[in-house]
Amino acid sequence: ELDQAVNLIRKHTEDFAILHCVSIYPTDDHDLNFNVIPTLKNRYNCIVGYSGHERGTVLCTSTILLGCRIIERHFTLDRTMKGGDHAASLEPQGFKKMVRDIRNVEKAMGIFENNLKEAELLCDIDWIAGCLGAIATYYRDSGNFKKSLSFSINSIDKFEQMGNKWGVANQLTGIGISYFYQGNFSNALDYWKRSINIFKEIGEKDKAEGLLANIGNIYIKTGELDKALRCYQRSLKHYESVGDKMDAA
């Protein structure tokens, strides 16, 4: 019957659409048979749609994913009115929600080619920066401070490109550690202070206060014991205030 109808219409126009419909009011979910929608699209090579009588809007909205370009639903001002058709219809708010969800699904469909989005590229840069930082840590722990510094600087460049201040501060901390191991306490102090300022700026107080203990270690090495004591006391006060007994100890 459908073949005959389509053949008859095509003798006069190609401007038509076929809507899948199950004439049960309301229709139970297991009776919807959505798989017939792509069958209609492939068989007749025309616009397809869905005429729904089920409860709610989620299922009819999902037919967009199967190729529907027309959605038809019955409209009522009150679903509690007498008559079986009202229960399967949508009230104004439900109709508005359906249209909104259809538009969101259409946006999510995208295009037929998979291309990297700007946000994905930024995530890749962030991941690369983290890898460079991990390599820097490896070389630092192996005693190859020159290579460690090179990888840390590259990591910082990537993190700055991303606007990832936490990553920048973390790499500055690592560079400071490298200089400390080499006995270059002046450079270590400079990098740790820069790191502390960034951690404070982004609200990472624990990281900032933890670095004060590192700076205390520098002052021990340089014989500035009063400064070392003040750093340790300030760091201790913070960890005690947040109940961090391990770092306090």
Side-chain angles (χ1 to χ4, degrees), residues 120-158:
E120 291 180 292
L121 293 173
L122 291 176
C123 286
D124 286 345
I125 294 171
D126 200 46
W127 181 80
I128 291 170
C131 290
L132 291 171
I135 295 172
T137 300
Y138 167 79
Y139 280 122
R140 183 176 68 242
D141 293 344
S142 303
N144 192 333
F145 300 118
K146 185 176 180 180
K147 278 194 173 182
S148 176
L149 179 61
S150 175
F151 278 100
S152 285
I153 290 173
N154 285 331
S155 178
I156 288 172
D157 286 342
K158 300 295 184 185

Side-chain angles (χ1 to χ4, degrees), residues 42-137:
N42 293 331
R43 183 179 179 88
Y44 299 110
N45 191 28
C46 66
I47 294 173
V48 295
Y50 172 64
S51 173
H53 312 115
E54 75 280 3
R55 298 176 181 86
T57 62
V58 173
L59 294 175
C60 67
T61 301
S62 70
T63 62
I64 298 295
L65 300 172
L66 295 172
C68 283
R69 293 297 172 263
I70 300 172
I71 302 292
E72 184 266 337
R73 291 297 302 266
H74 290 201
F75 182 83
T76 184
L77 296 177
D78 186 352
R79 294 179 65 245
T80 64
M81 292 173 65
K82 291 182 180 180
D85 198 48
H86 289 287
S89 302
L90 297 178
E91 295 175 346
Q93 282 303 111
F95 214 96
K96 182 178 180 180
K97 178 181 182 298
M98 179 188 70
V99 173
R100 180 202 67 192
D101 291 344
I102 287 172
R103 296 295 175 247
N104 287 337
V105 172
E106 288 174 337
K107 291 175 185 176
M109 291 288 288
I111 60 177
F112 289 98
E113 295 179 0
N114 190 23
N115 57 345
L116 284 175
K117 307 296 186 293
E118 183 179 356
E120 291 180 292
L121 293 173
L122 291 176
C123 286
D124 286 345
I125 294 171
D126 200 46
W127 181 80
I128 291 170
C131 290
L132 291 171
I135 295 172
T137 300

Side-chain angles (χ1 to χ4, degrees), residues 19 87 109 112 117 129 145 150 168 186 188 199 202 213 234 242 246:
L19 274 61
M109 291 288 288
F112 289 98
K117 307 296 186 293
F145 300 118
S150 175
V168 172
S186 176
F199 279 131
I202 61 177
R234 183 173 164 183
V242 297
M246 180 176 292

